[in-house]
Amino acid sequence: MPAGHPTTAVQERRTQLLELIRSRRFATLDELAGALGVSESTIRRDLEYLEKQGDAKRIHGGALYTGSSPKLPHFETRQPMRWEQKRAIARKAVELISAGDSVLLDGGTTTYEVARLLLGMPLHVVTNSLPVANLLASDPTSDLVFVGGNVCPRSGVTQGPQADAMIASLRVRKAILSVASVDEEGFFNNNLLLVETERAMMRAADEVIIVADSSKFGYRSLAHLCRLEDVDYVVTDAELPEAWRERLASAGVQLILASVAESAEEPVLRSVLDAQTQFSPIPTNKV
């Protein structure tokens, strides 16, 4: 067998390991080693492999499942598209998040990749996304708040007046939002109710971070979300044309470019000391 390719026995063990993590959502190294009858060092190597595949996340004391999201039409069709760019963008976006932050995540496929990388960080997380909530619900290091409301069956996000009212009662440090398109008028999405909910998210946040790959620039969609200058950061991939870089700079937006080549290795998880820090109080919103 060529070098670098796991044997059948190793593949079977990793499949069993992934199923254990998937069914339990969180499992300790000791539990996994005992269930499979192997050493913890073997489990660590297998977890490293699964983490590179995006199926598991090692955190202090064990591992969390980060595999496929619930079977929703939106994720079935959109999640695989430009996946490498989305992962690179997510890695850059996570660099804006600190331990103890309060973070609001919407239901886009790029924000789902951000959520994968936030596993294991001590955070207050607010989301209107069923896939994101399902991913984070078993993380013992985070405090999760799920926003209620009408559920969109395509994407699994809650939206509408109930969701807007709940978000209006909250204050977070950072909101990370995805969009369907961007043009000179600003940012757009395809769902009128969702846009209203995302505007409530923006009002609740001290900082607004847009995550969107470069293919979405130069187009407009059904519903206008906000102007370019209404957000603090845009995180996109390095394929963004120079004209758009200049336009965002003129609007006062801080642009962060993610390189797929430079993002081959996932960032190291924050230190155990960070993971043991107390949550900071959620600040009041900026005026």
Side-chain angles (χ1 to χ4, degrees), residues 7-25:
T7 65
T8 301
V10 171
Q11 289 175 330
E12 290 177 354
R13 186 183 66 242
R14 289 173 176 171
T15 299
Q16 292 173 344
L17 174 62
L18 182 59
E19 179 57 26
L20 281 171
I21 300 170
R22 187 200 64 77
S23 62
R24 300 182 186 186
R25 307 302 298 181

Side-chain angles (χ1 to χ4, degrees), residues 81-254:
M81 298 176 64
R82 295 178 65 84
W83 185 80
E84 290 184 348
Q85 286 83 358
K86 291 175 183 179
R87 290 284 284 178
I89 291 166
R91 291 185 182 105
K92 283 294 185 182
V94 167
E95 293 178 4
L96 299 173
I97 309 301
S98 302
D101 267 349
S102 50
V103 183
L104 202 159
L105 299 171
D106 76 353
T109 53
T110 307
T111 50
Y112 185 83
E113 296 303 325
V114 173
R116 286 190 202 244
L117 299 181
L118 293 180
L119 285 166
M121 286 183 64
L123 299 168
H124 299 278
V125 179
V126 181
T127 186
N128 68 328
S129 165
L130 285 170
V132 171
N134 184 62
L135 179 68
L136 294 171
S138 57
D139 185 352
T141 62
S142 64
D143 178 18
L144 177 66
V145 175
F146 183 68
V147 175
N150 297 325
V151 179
C152 175
R154 288 185 60 254
S155 60
V157 299
T158 58
Q159 56 196 21
Q162 293 85 3
D164 301 349
M166 181 174 177
I167 294 168
S169 70
L170 304 174
R171 295 294 180 269
V172 298
R173 289 178 179 168
K174 288 151 188 171
I176 301 180
L177 308 178
S178 58
V179 293
S181 58
V182 190
D183 80 349
E184 293 84 351
E185 293 183 13
F187 303 95
F188 293 79
N189 262 316
N190 292 313
N191 184 313
L192 292 169
L193 284 177
L194 176 60
V195 161
E196 290 300 324
T197 299
E198 288 181 323
R199 287 175 181 162
M201 293 176 174
M202 293 177 66
R203 291 190 293 268
D206 290 342
E207 294 180 343
V208 177
I209 303 165
I210 298 292
V211 289
D213 70 77
S214 59
S215 69
K216 296 181 178 180
F217 287 77
Y219 304 94
R220 66 180 64 181
S221 300
L222 179 65
H224 182 245
L225 173 62
C226 66
R227 302 171 302 172
L228 296 175
E229 57 264 35
D230 292 334
V231 309
D232 298 287
Y233 294 90
V234 167
V235 188
T236 186
D237 58 81
E239 297 173 28
L240 185 71
E242 185 62 35
W244 267 106
R245 302 184 190 195
E246 295 174 358
R247 185 172 291 121
L248 290 169
S250 297
V253 178
Q254 296 188 60

Side-chain angles (χ1 to χ4, degrees), residues 50-79:
L50 293 175
E51 190 169 14
K52 288 179 179 178
Q53 302 304 306
D55 293 324
K57 176 77 173 182
R58 293 172 295 173
I59 68 170
H60 182 58
L64 290 160
Y65 177 74
T66 62
S68 300
S69 61
K71 301 298 182 182
L72 296 164
H74 176 73
F75 274 83
E76 288 289 284
T77 57
R78 298 292 301 177
Q79 194 171 18

Side-chain angles (χ1 to χ4, degrees), residues 259-280:
S259 169
V260 173
E262 293 176 0
S263 299
E265 294 297 326
E266 192 159 312
V268 177
L269 189 66
R270 263 53 169 197
S271 69
V272 174
L273 287 177
D274 280 343
Q276 293 173 342
T277 56
Q278 295 294 319
F279 285 152
S280 302

